[in-house]
Amino acid sequence: MKPQDIYHNSFDLTYREPFGAAPNGSSVTLTIDINHRHPVSYVILHYIYDKTDREETIEMDRVSEKHPSSSFEASIIMPEEPQLVWYFFEVKIEEEVLYYGRLNNEESGEGEIHKEVPPSWQITVYDPSYETPSWWKHATMYQIFPDRFYASGKVQLEDAPKSSLMHTHWDNDPFYIRNDQEEVVRWDFFGGNINGIIKKLDYIQSLGVTVIYLNPVFEAESNHRYDTGDYHKIDPLLGTKEEFEQLMTKAADLGIEIMLDGVFSHTGSNSKYFNQRGQYETVGAYQSMKSPYYSWYNFYDYPDNYQAWWGIGTLPTLNKEDESYRNFLIHEDSSVIKTWQRSGVKHWRLDVADELTDDLIKQINCQLKEYDSSSVLLGEVWEDASNKTAYGKRRDYFLGGVLDSVMNYPLRDVMLGFIKGEVDAYYLDRRLLTLSEHYPKQFFYSLMNMLSTHDVERIKTLLAEFLPEDLDSNKRAELVRKQIQALSLWLYTFPGVPSLYYGDEAGLTGGEDPDNRKPYPWGREDQHLISWYKTIGNIRKKHPSLRTGSWNSLTPHEDVYGYERLIEHGVDHFGDPSADEHLLYIMNRNVSQERQVTLPARKGKWQHLINKNQMFHVKQNELTITLEPCESLLLRRLN
């Protein structure tokens, strides 16, 4: 039997209607084709409810016989309870039973024939009444690691932790001072603070930014502050609560929202709640079993053997099921969430969301939305969040009422894989279509898309590492510049919220932590790159199709990837009023050869949006484009 003798493609409406995730209680029609030369005894659709692992079967009807295949069809009703539904096909041809399923667990679209039960396609069944905040789909983010962005005024050394080391030169490289056990014993600080962010708000706004995501700002011992010491107190080295509230006010005046990093999976061992070294006046869980915080932690052998995040002793893990902890975090009038809501904080990014329970996240989300329905709750998730399993449990992140967004590391992975030549455009296309199939569109258009963060190498360093070694320095620099432009333009024109990690726009480099957390290079910026980010930030702001227009993926060549962003008939992809426009992004990832591609197009002409004097004309319903090595284009169709 030939591979194409049996065929189903989950991306094609001919075979799966409607495309993608499905509202609870809705109907999904599935079709499979089988070549006429094979006498079919029956075709059975198997579908499995993820919540119960219950499997149902239905014999499919022969609905058409067109050369060269017969089509078999079945419609199934999605469950009322949001969950995943998995499906595959069983085909009996004469005396042989075959199965048809996905190629693998990461790629949807076309399937293949299997001798045994195959990988299944996924239907994400979600609650359509839950919508992500509209403003968020239009947002552009700027991520700041507070100690390294800008220091305003004299650093108050008396506010620094006792274990700190303060750099006297802003341009120093960060480093860790470790003991023989590789534990950090002294944390280095540069003195970036809240007033420094306030002073640079106009600059941040000039990049087209509408939301600032701050890495942790609460009192802590480390420079990264993921070891919270007091959830109700701004770290004194960063400033005061009043200065933070001033930042909120001044940012709002410029149309900029603030998102805080919520580290609710663990605290610091040196904190009010654990108080291992007795530096706080409270009675911590480490000090006494009668501590009000004792039930927050899990001790194996009290007090020195306790559960810690990734086994790091300075980060004792919190018991997320503990009622007193939940009340402290969410429900009490003086809870962490309510306290900062009163200071104007509406948006949170949940650190290591996989370590939190869905129930806890729902309670946080409910409190945020009850106070202000425009609040956004974003989670740190590194994989496909629609089918994520953590600690043996499938997570409900995108089924409705849990998260509004996650960090889109899967997009970053395939972008880098493509530009480095590890995968081709066809693989890239399948992976991105799979994400769009798995995620309800409310969430696909709300993902935090990024090239760099505080947890990964900076994009400029990554790109320089994989280029051919025989390139001279000038050629290498030119190619890296073009690649950064191609990837950032992609990021700013793709569905979701583009996030710019502070300093990337200035040409900052950096390998693994702590090198990726260098101070912003004030006075040494790459002004051409800053100008580029200002340009694309404002292009995104100007063109609504780049934010909420429909998205159509294009793969004209293995080295060339692109997509259309489109608004037609006066409404965007979500049915909201918007002006019609048709934009096209396209890039050639090849570092040494130009690529010419031809795309079907309606008659007319296309304008280069950055170099507006450059026009591309449609001839005989085809648009031909020649792309230089590493070149990217953003074109707008002119009527």
Side-chain angles (χ1 to χ4, degrees):
M1 178 176 288
K2 296 179 180 178
Q4 294 298 311
D5 283 356
I6 302 178
Y7 188 79
H8 169 81
N9 185 341
S10 65
F11 298 153
D12 188 335
L13 292 177
T14 304
Y15 298 95
R16 177 162 154 182
E17 167 68 36
F19 170 81
N24 58 325
S26 66
S27 176
V28 174
T29 299
L30 301 169
T31 303
I32 186 168
D33 290 344
I34 302 174
N35 193 285
H36 284 315
R37 66 171 167 267
H38 303 293
V40 177
S41 300
Y42 62 75
V43 180
I44 293 177
L45 170 67
H46 293 251
Y47 56 103
I48 302 99
Y49 297 102
D50 194 66
K51 291 282 187 184
T52 60
D53 207 29
R54 179 167 60 89
E55 182 173 344
E56 300 279 356
T57 60
I58 183 172
E59 186 164 350
M60 304 182 74
D61 296 322
R62 192 189 302 260
V63 293
S64 71
E65 295 190 20
K66 297 179 180 178
H67 183 76
S69 298
S70 297
S71 294
F72 295 80
E73 181 182 288
S75 295
I76 54 176
I77 302 300
M78 297 298 103
E80 289 299 326
E81 181 182 6
Q83 60 187 286
L84 304 183
V85 172
W86 305 94
Y87 72 91
F88 64 91
F89 304 94
E90 176 186 341
V91 180
K92 185 173 183 182
I93 297 173
E94 295 181 326
E95 298 304 314
E96 185 178 20
V97 175
L98 300 172
Y99 297 94
Y100 192 82
R102 274 210 294 195
L103 299 174
N104 55 61
N105 291 324
E106 291 187 331
E107 298 175 63
S108 285
E110 296 180 351
E112 66 181 1
I113 300 167
H114 297 257
K115 294 289 188 181
E116 299 176 346
V117 174
S120 301
W121 283 276
Q122 172 185 320
I123 303 175
T124 304
V125 182
Y126 66 97
D127 179 358
S129 68
Y130 190 87
E131 298 181 358
T132 58
S134 178
W135 76 270
W136 176 251
K137 302 181 189 76
H138 295 266
T140 300
M141 175 184 278
Y142 192 72
Q143 180 189 349
I144 293 177
F145 194 86
D147 182 62
R148 311 290 162 81
F149 182 60
Y150 186 69
S152 175
K154 186 178 179 181
V155 175
Q156 302 299 317
L157 294 178
E158 63 273 15
D159 292 330
K162 294 179 181 179
S163 60
S164 65
L165 180 151
M166 187 64 65
H167 288 272
T168 56
H169 296 286
W170 183 258
D171 297 336
N172 286 356
D173 287 335
F175 59 89
Y176 289 134
I177 301 175
R178 301 180 185 270
N179 60 19
D180 293 340
Q181 289 75 45
E182 288 299 304
E183 299 166 329
V184 177
V185 293
R186 297 192 71 182
W187 295 98
D188 64 329
F189 289 84
F190 286 83
N193 53 23
I194 289 169
N195 278 331
I197 299 171
I198 292 173
K199 285 187 177 296
K200 296 297 183 180
L201 281 175
D202 286 338
Y203 163 71
I204 295 171
Q205 184 196 42
S206 74
L207 296 167
V209 169
T210 58
V211 57
I212 296 172
Y213 153 44
L214 297 174
N215 287 116
V217 296
F218 301 140
E219 182 175 79
E221 187 171 40
S222 73
N223 53 36
H224 55 67
R225 299 186 173 94
Y226 283 94
D227 54 333
T228 310
D230 186 343
Y231 287 107
H232 287 86
K233 185 178 180 181
I234 298 294
D235 194 296
L237 202 57
L238 289 177
T240 64
K241 184 177 182 180
E242 291 71 27
E243 289 169 335
F244 174 75
E245 290 172 345
Q246 186 182 21
L247 168 63
M248 297 283 297
T249 300
K250 293 195 171 185
D253 290 342
L254 294 174
I256 298 174
E257 303 278 336
I258 301 292
M259 174 177 282
L260 290 189
D261 215 332
V263 188
F264 304 140
S265 168
H266 50 268
T267 65
S269 57
N270 186 29
S271 65
K272 290 178 64 173
Y273 323 106
F274 201 77
N275 210 9
Q276 188 176 47
R277 297 208 301 272
Q279 293 184 3
Y280 286 86
E281 294 179 358
T282 54
V283 177
Y286 181 86
Q287 297 165 302
S288 172
M289 291 184 180
K290 295 182 180 179
S291 165
Y293 311 114
Y294 176 76
S295 62
W296 291 17
Y297 301 93
N298 297 306
F299 291 92
Y300 304 124
D301 185 10
Y302 187 82
D304 290 315
N305 189 2
Y306 49 86
Q307 186 179 8
W309 185 75
W310 282 32
I312 301 171
T314 56
L315 302 175
T317 302
L318 287 159
N319 178 6
K320 273 70 74 172
E321 301 291 346
D322 185 76
E323 185 177 359
S324 67
Y325 172 63
R326 291 188 174 208
N327 289 337
F328 165 83
L329 177 61
I330 307 165
H331 303 300
E332 295 171 351
D333 187 59
S334 61
S335 71
V336 176
I337 299 297
K338 290 181 181 179
T339 294
W340 292 107
Q341 282 180 319
R342 287 190 287 269
S343 289
V345 177
K346 297 186 291 184
H347 319 298
W348 292 84
R349 177 260 193 190
L350 296 179
D351 180 56
V352 290
D354 296 340
E355 308 280 336
L356 307 176
T357 65
D358 283 352
D359 184 56
L360 179 66
I361 297 173
K362 284 181 182 178
Q363 291 182 40
I364 295 171
N365 199 341
C366 184
Q367 174 56 38
L368 293 180
K369 296 296 170 39
E370 182 179 320
Y371 191 87
D372 190 321
S373 61
S374 71
S375 299
V376 170
L377 189 61
L378 181 152
E380 180 193 10
V381 180
W382 287 65
E383 302 86 6
D384 181 335
S386 70
N387 54 39
K388 171 73 178 184
T389 297
Y391 297 96
K393 186 179 185 303
R394 183 84 68 196
R395 307 307 296 266
D396 293 345
Y397 294 140
F398 285 169
L399 302 185
V402 183
L403 290 171
D404 294 302
S405 177
V406 295
M407 303 176 75
N408 198 357
Y409 281 106
L411 172 64
R412 177 182 181 271
D413 290 344
V414 292
M415 289 175 77
L416 293 177
F418 176 63
I419 204 161
K420 290 193 289 186
E422 296 170 351
V423 300
D424 62 22
Y426 308 118
Y427 174 84
L428 170 68
D429 176 66
R430 292 194 301 273
R431 288 295 304 276
L432 293 180
L433 284 171
T434 299
L435 277 182
S436 69
E437 177 183 279
H438 287 182
Y439 289 4
K441 73 176 182 179
Q442 285 283 341
F443 298 99
F444 187 67
Y445 278 68
S446 297
L447 299 172
M448 174 185 165
N449 300 333
M450 65 283 171
L451 297 173
S452 306
T453 73
H454 64 291
D455 283 327
V456 295
E457 293 177 81
R458 285 188 179 269
I459 186 61
K460 188 173 183 180
T461 296
L462 273 173
L463 294 176
E465 287 174 350
F466 84 86
L467 288 174
E469 295 181 0
D470 58 353
L471 293 175
D472 65 50
S473 59
N474 290 334
K475 183 63 175 177
R476 179 178 294 271
E478 178 193 356
L479 286 175
V480 168
R481 176 186 60 79
K482 292 179 72 174
Q483 289 175 331
I484 288 175
Q485 289 185 340
L487 290 174
S488 56
L489 186 60
W490 182 348
L491 199 74
Y492 275 61
T493 58
F494 195 78
V497 178
S499 177
L500 175 58
Y501 185 41
Y502 80 99
D504 268 10
E505 78 278 16
L508 199 56
T509 59
E512 295 180 351
D513 172 26
D515 198 41
N516 54 3
R517 303 173 184 180
K518 291 177 183 175
Y520 185 104
W522 299 108
R524 299 179 290 109
E525 305 96 322
D526 181 335
Q527 293 295 343
H528 292 291
L529 196 52
I530 288 178
S531 177
W532 168 258
Y533 273 98
K534 287 181 178 180
T535 297
I536 63 175
N538 286 291
I539 284 176
R540 174 177 166 80
K541 227 173 186 178
K542 184 177 179 181
H543 295 279
S545 66
L546 298 179
R547 306 190 302 272
T548 55
S550 60
W551 169 74
N552 179 36
S553 186
L554 303 170
T555 51
H557 186 278
E558 65 178 5
D559 283 337
V560 179
Y561 179 69
Y563 47 82
E564 299 169 289
R565 301 301 308 274
L566 184 65
I567 292 177
E568 293 182 292
H569 311 303
V571 293
D572 69 7
H573 197 46
F574 297 89
D576 295 325
S578 189
D580 287 5
E581 64 177 2
H582 190 176
L583 273 63
L584 169 67
Y585 168 83
I586 195 162
M587 70 164 292
N588 170 24
R589 61 94 179 265
N590 197 292
V591 298
S592 60
Q593 297 179 0
E594 68 175 31
R595 293 288 183 241
Q596 185 178 89
V597 296
T598 300
L599 303 170
R602 289 177 287 178
K603 65 179 180 179
K605 58 184 177 180
W606 292 75
Q607 180 185 44
H608 193 311
L609 265 186
I610 295 171
N611 178 10
K612 293 188 176 180
N613 292 325
Q614 190 174 0
M615 295 288 181
F616 296 83
H617 296 269
V618 175
K619 297 178 181 179
Q620 297 179 338
N621 295 320
E622 291 184 336
L623 177 65
T624 299
I625 301 171
T626 300
L627 294 155
E628 296 178 1
C630 297
E631 184 178 15
S632 61
L633 301 174
L634 181 62
L635 308 180
R636 180 178 61 146
R637 183 176 180 271
L638 301 180
N639 295 326

